[in-house]
Amino acid sequence: MGLRQVAALEQDVAAWMGARGMLELRGLTRRFGATVAVDHVDLDVPAGQMVGIIGRSGAGKSTLLRMINRLETPSSGQILSGGRDVTALEGRGLREWRRDCAMVFQQFNLVQRLDVLTNVLIGRLAWQRGWRSLMVLVGARFTAEERAMALAALDRFGLAETALQRAETLSGGQQQRVALCRALLQQPRLVLADEPIASLDPRNAQLVMDALRDVNRHDGLTVLVNLHHLDTARQYCDRIVAMQAGRIVFDGTPAALTPERVRAVYGITEQEFAAEAEARRRAAEPAPVTLAVA
Amino acid sequence: METEGSLAFWMYRLDSWAWLLFETANMAALATLAGAGAALLLAFPAARNLGAGRVLNPLARRLLEAMRTVPEIVFALIFVWAFGVGPLAGILAIAVHTAGACGKLFAESIENTGLGAWAGVRSAGGGWAQACRFAILPQVAPSLLSYALLRFEINLRSASVIGFVGAGGIGEELYKVIAFNYYEEISAILLLVILAVFAIDLLSERLRHRVIGAMR
Ligand SMILES: Nc1ncnc2c1ncn2[C@@H]1O[C@H](COP(=O)(O)OP(=O)(O)OP(=O)(O)O)[C@@H](O)[C@H]1O
Ligand SMILES: [Mg+2]
């Protein structure tokens, strides 16, 4: 089969997945005691879309993404992918679903004391089974193909030189791109990024967002990304979903999310929204080392 | 020739005692290795933060408790009765106690690690054991190794007296000479044991710091 045919086949599959819905949420709800973190969310995401989810602190964005990956168990409602119900998967099925929808976290969630290459190779764990899985478990020996894959992914984001360094020696922006490499090694269909740039400085934030867009455009992966900067969401996403108190209060194109709409939805101006987001970013950042002068 | 009171007279059985001391050190090393190995396997299900399940978690915790609350000498008596007199009984007894003591410390060490990496591995479809191996073990390895080496020093002392109940090592000889009131021998053996423990303490401490330094 030639490369072109493969591409055509992939498009067919994508079209089919799109027709059935890459991801469909039906009345998805999650309660924590009295708080309803996510409240009857209905959402259809076709394949290949880059969706930005925005909302103020506590709106339920993280809970929503974590539920899709099943790190959090839904209280009620359904998660469907390609027409298949994944809400109640367990065991091997659940692990395969998680492999298909890679997570990227605000705090990167790398293994700090492991080298970068092994961190990326963690994305392969769900592909191994039986004897091989046991061998990897005991000896941490991945195959040459897997390591080549990991290196290629690192190289793509300019991180090949860091492959043998410990993750903890990397900057935040580098760590987040390593986390994205790990996600890519899962060969997922969906990437769920929970505030991937919230702990990064503007330059690194741009690098990571560019990488996410690249993954969406060139690899055709569907991306759901939680953001709290409206400008970032408008700049990178095909579609914006705004949440408030666990509900979807806006769902449309970036152009449709005008400052008036923001005001109507959140009751605050866009400037106030941005200031709030910036304050949260500052709070998430490690405190800068300064000499206090009394 | 008058030899009584000389160093040669005092240490006249140095060769066999040296051998017994060597056996004692080997018992301690083997017991530490086996015990720490078992502790490592039990610590993951015993840790409260890894969600090992409502059956496995309490089971592992109770097992570790039982292994560390029962004194080594009691295990030694049981194993001497089961496997006969000799070092095997001593090694097993010390190993079981070590598993209990180290297992608790290992589990605490695991409970004190952040779960960020854990979520990373699980979200990628990694299984429970894979997450233990890749997300937790690399983070806790230095402290676990340090505990195990510290335990080796403790086990050396235990191995020197566990022979009192017939479980091998220099303790058997010590028990014998005490029973016969051979005061010179008692003092000689005690001195040797103290010297050996002192030497190994020093060595192990150096090793511990080097290992931890290298792993940092
Ligand atoms: N594990 C939990 N236990 C109890 N309450 C929780 C838990 N996780 C989330 N919540 C609550 O659910 C609501 C939604 O939280 P969530 O973290 O999803 O919001 P968010 O939109 O991601 O906010 P942020 O921008 O601050 O990350 C909040 O009120 C939060 O306090
Ligand atoms: Mg959040």
Side-chain angles (χ1 to χ4, degrees):
Chain A
M1 220 170 14
L3 216 61
R4 202 153 288 187
Q5 279 162 294
V6 173
L9 192 69
E10 272 175 0
Q11 259 171 16
D12 284 351
V13 172
W16 179 77
M17 294 295 302
R20 305 296 308 272
M22 168 59 77
L23 185 70
E24 298 169 57
L25 308 180
R26 299 269 169 272
L28 201 60
T29 302
R30 170 74 211 208
R31 291 182 204 90
F32 293 106
T35 39
V36 188
V38 173
D39 193 0
H40 287 93
V41 163
D42 292 302
L43 190 69
D44 274 24
V45 181
Q49 210 168 44
M50 182 142 173
V51 184
I53 302 170
I54 59 162
R56 297 167 76 179
S57 192
K61 309 180 293 292
S62 299
T63 308
L64 184 69
L65 287 203
R66 290 171 65 86
M67 266 198 289
I68 296 171
N69 183 270
R70 296 279 316 279
L71 280 176
E72 209 78 72
T73 313
S75 304
S76 62
Q78 273 186 315
I79 306 163
L80 303 154
S81 179
R84 193 170 67 111
D85 191 346
V86 298
T87 329
L89 286 178
E90 275 176 29
R92 160 121 262 145
L94 174 59
R95 292 184 52 198
E96 279 170 2
W97 166 244
R98 284 179 168 164
R99 181 191 71 197
D100 289 345
C101 60
M103 282 285 288
V104 173
F105 300 86
Q106 178 179 348
Q107 297 303 333
F108 329 128
N109 290 8
L110 299 180
V111 189
Q112 293 296 315
R113 285 176 40 83
L114 272 186
D115 57 83
V116 166
L117 192 68
T118 311
N119 264 294
V120 176
L121 284 165
I122 282 173
R124 296 308 296 169
L125 290 178
W127 287 94
Q128 298 158 354
R129 54 192 63 177
W131 181 243
R132 269 232 346 105
S133 157
L134 200 67
M135 295 295 289
V136 172
L137 198 63
V138 175
R141 286 251 160 259
F142 293 84
T143 63
E145 294 87 71
E146 283 171 332
R147 278 182 293 161
M149 252 175 107
L151 262 180
L154 284 170
D155 196 36
R156 173 175 174 187
F157 299 119
L159 292 165
E161 287 85 63
T162 66
L164 299 179
Q165 271 170 250
R166 279 197 189 163
E168 64 194 355
T169 63
L170 267 51
S171 75
Q174 288 175 315
Q175 289 198 37
Q176 194 60 294
R177 280 175 287 151
V178 171
L180 191 58
C181 289
R182 177 180 70 193
L184 288 183
L185 255 75
Q186 293 173 226
Q187 297 182 301
R189 288 180 287 146
L190 207 71
V191 175
L192 310 170
D194 187 10
E195 313 221 17
I197 57 168
S199 328
L200 305 181
D201 59 71
R203 194 186 133 54
N204 273 306
Q206 194 198 332
L207 278 174
V208 167
M209 283 312 293
D210 286 347
L212 266 179
R213 173 154 66 188
D214 197 55
V215 161
N216 172 253
R217 297 275 190 276
H218 288 105
D219 306 20
L221 299 182
T222 311
V223 176
L224 263 69
V225 52
N226 283 352
L227 292 166
H228 50 225
H229 277 94
L230 290 180
D231 292 334
T232 316
R234 285 201 187 98
Q235 187 188 342
Y236 286 93
C237 301
D238 308 322
R239 173 181 176 191
I240 296 180
V241 170
M243 289 184 75
Q244 173 76 333
R247 298 207 182 143
I248 292 184
V249 289
F250 171 89
D251 182 357
T253 60
L257 191 67
T258 56
E260 295 76 55
R261 246 349 246 285
V262 173
R263 180 124 203 205
V265 162
Y266 286 113
I268 55 173
T269 67
E270 197 163 336
Q271 282 73 36
E272 283 167 328
F273 195 97
E276 215 178 81
E278 186 56 25
R280 259 191 295 162
R281 190 183 73 75
R282 287 257 163 73
E285 235 172 32
V289 185
T290 50
L291 289 175
V293 182
Chain B
M1 204 168 71
E2 185 57 50
T3 51
E4 187 149 352
S6 76
L7 191 65
F9 179 82
W10 195 32
M11 292 282 173
Y12 78 108
R13 289 183 58 203
L14 185 63
D15 53 342
S16 67
W17 289 338
W19 172 253
L20 279 174
L21 266 177
F22 180 65
E23 183 184 279
T24 309
N26 276 335
M27 282 169 60
L30 271 174
T32 310
L33 210 63
L40 184 66
L41 291 181
L42 283 169
F44 289 102
R48 285 203 186 86
N49 57 342
L50 302 184
R54 239 167 260 169
V55 180
L56 209 56
N57 178 260
L59 201 71
R61 295 188 77 84
R62 293 299 93 72
L63 188 60
L64 287 177
E65 259 162 38
M67 290 196 289
R68 90 177 156 267
T69 36
V70 179
E72 275 151 351
I73 211 84
V74 176
F75 282 127
L77 282 167
I78 295 169
F79 288 133
V80 165
W81 171 75
F83 301 112
V85 170
L88 179 68
I91 293 170
L92 283 177
I94 299 172
V96 170
H97 188 78
T98 299
C102 280
K104 180 192 165 74
L105 290 173
F106 288 6
E108 267 171 18
S109 195
I110 291 169
E111 281 164 7
N112 286 332
T113 40
L115 287 182
W118 175 269
V121 174
R122 291 314 294 260
S123 76
W128 189 82
Q130 286 174 328
C132 289
R133 168 67 183 80
F134 286 98
I136 305 291
L137 187 63
Q139 315 273 27
V140 297
S143 68
L144 264 49
L145 206 61
S146 163
Y147 286 140
L149 281 171
L150 199 65
R151 195 69 215 178
F152 174 58
E153 294 168 28
I154 298 168
N155 283 349
L156 192 70
R157 278 171 276 246
S158 308
S160 338
V161 294
I162 205 149
F164 274 45
V165 296
I170 192 120
E172 262 179 74
E173 181 74 9
L174 189 60
Y175 182 72
K176 221 178 297 165
V177 296
I178 289 174
F180 288 112
N181 289 327
Y182 292 161
Y183 294 113
E184 283 91 356
E185 272 100 336
I186 295 172
S187 60
I189 291 175
L190 278 180
L191 185 73
L192 286 175
V193 167
I194 289 167
L195 281 178
V197 168
F198 186 65
I200 290 198
D201 264 15
L202 265 182
L203 262 171
S204 154
E205 194 183 320
R206 287 244 172 116
L207 187 67
R208 209 143 40 87
H209 286 147
R210 277 185 66 173
V211 164
I212 295 160
M215 290 187 82
R216 281 261 151 74

